[in-house]
Amino acid sequence: SSSQKTEVQILGIDRAHFKPPAFTRTADPIVHKLSSQNRPVHNRRNTPVNNVFSSPVRNIWQSKFQSFNHMQSEMVQVLANSDDNVIVSAPTGAGKTALFEMAMARLFASKLNGQAHRGVSGVSSVKVVYIAPNKALCDERQEDWSKRLGDIDRGIVCTTITGDANATSSYGEIAKAHLILTTPEKW
């Protein structure tokens, strides 16, 4: 009947709150396309890890390599020195995981150095989420990153949350973790 109030009316919700905000144009994203035309092989340089990251953060790569490859070297300044969002599309084996590690390293380094990152200080407040297509890759990354991140700070906790995990225990693990490795169906 028309005399019954809707939930919106009972709660006193203003319908104007449902409207999306007015459109405002933002700056176009910076698109950095690498190719043999704009980055000839003879002009490419590998950036040494030590030139970008200081100890203990550079220890993340110590067991893997001493210099970033060409693609990583192109991206290192953005990832190591800014809070810009980055999307990377590159073939398998090109070094995308190391790019993710650079962004992680910047975040952990700012916490380890006592610098506030977006108004929060201390590694305990850090949450990084890595979404992989399958549990096997999550498990592989967790084993590797637990060891390598432990080389920079033993307090950094990595956890894997996948489709076969109990939801209640998952919340506790997420609360304690700094690096959360998961699959799309869980996140």
Side-chain angles (χ1 to χ4, degrees):
S1 110
S2 62
S3 64
Q4 289 183 334
K5 290 187 174 183
T6 66
E7 187 176 8
V8 171
Q9 292 169 326
I10 293 168
L11 296 173
I13 297 172
D14 182 357
R15 290 203 178 269
H17 293 290
F18 294 115
K19 289 183 181 177
F23 174 78
T24 55
R25 176 152 292 294
T26 58
D28 289 335
I30 298 169
V31 177
H32 190 82
K33 293 182 180 179
L34 304 178
S35 69
S36 57
Q37 287 78 34
N38 68 5
R39 294 292 190 277
V41 173
H42 67 276
N43 284 347
R44 297 180 189 174
R45 302 283 180 260
N46 289 350
T47 304
V49 173
N50 293 348
N51 289 5
V52 182
F53 294 99
S54 59
S55 209
V57 174
R58 70 174 161 227
N59 296 346
I60 294 172
W61 300 283
Q62 194 170 26
S63 64
K64 297 275 186 180
F65 50 82
Q66 300 302 309
S67 293
F68 295 114
N69 70 23
H70 300 281
M71 189 259 309
Q72 295 160 350
S73 295
E74 287 285 335
M75 297 299 301
V76 74
Q77 291 306 317
V78 171
L79 292 166
N81 300 308
S82 79
D83 289 331
D84 290 350
N85 294 316
V86 175
I87 296 175
V88 177
S89 175
T92 300
K96 296 180 297 291
T97 302
L99 296 178
F100 178 80
E101 292 169 348
M102 285 183 215
M104 233 180 358
R106 173 177 162 69
L107 181 63
F108 288 134
S110 70
K111 301 302 183 178
L112 292 170
N113 293 333
Q115 299 169 359
H117 185 80
R118 298 199 180 177
V120 182
S121 63
V123 175
S124 62
S125 65
V126 173
K127 296 282 186 217
V128 176
V129 178
Y130 177 83
I131 302 174
N134 57 55
K135 183 181 185 314
L137 185 55
C138 286
D139 292 341
E140 176 188 315
R141 292 284 88 227
Q142 180 179 1
E143 182 179 332
D144 181 44
W145 283 333
S146 292
K147 181 192 177 309
R148 290 172 49 216
L149 292 173
D151 289 344
I152 64 168
D153 186 324
R154 295 274 175 220
I156 298 174
V157 177
C158 301
T159 192
T160 299
I161 307 294
T162 57
D164 59 356
N166 173 334
T168 306
S169 66
S170 297
Y171 294 130
E173 290 180 42
I174 289 170
K176 290 185 279 186
H178 302 104
L179 174 57
I180 302 156
L181 299 99
T182 189
T183 51
E185 75 270 4
K186 269 304 204 194
W187 205 258

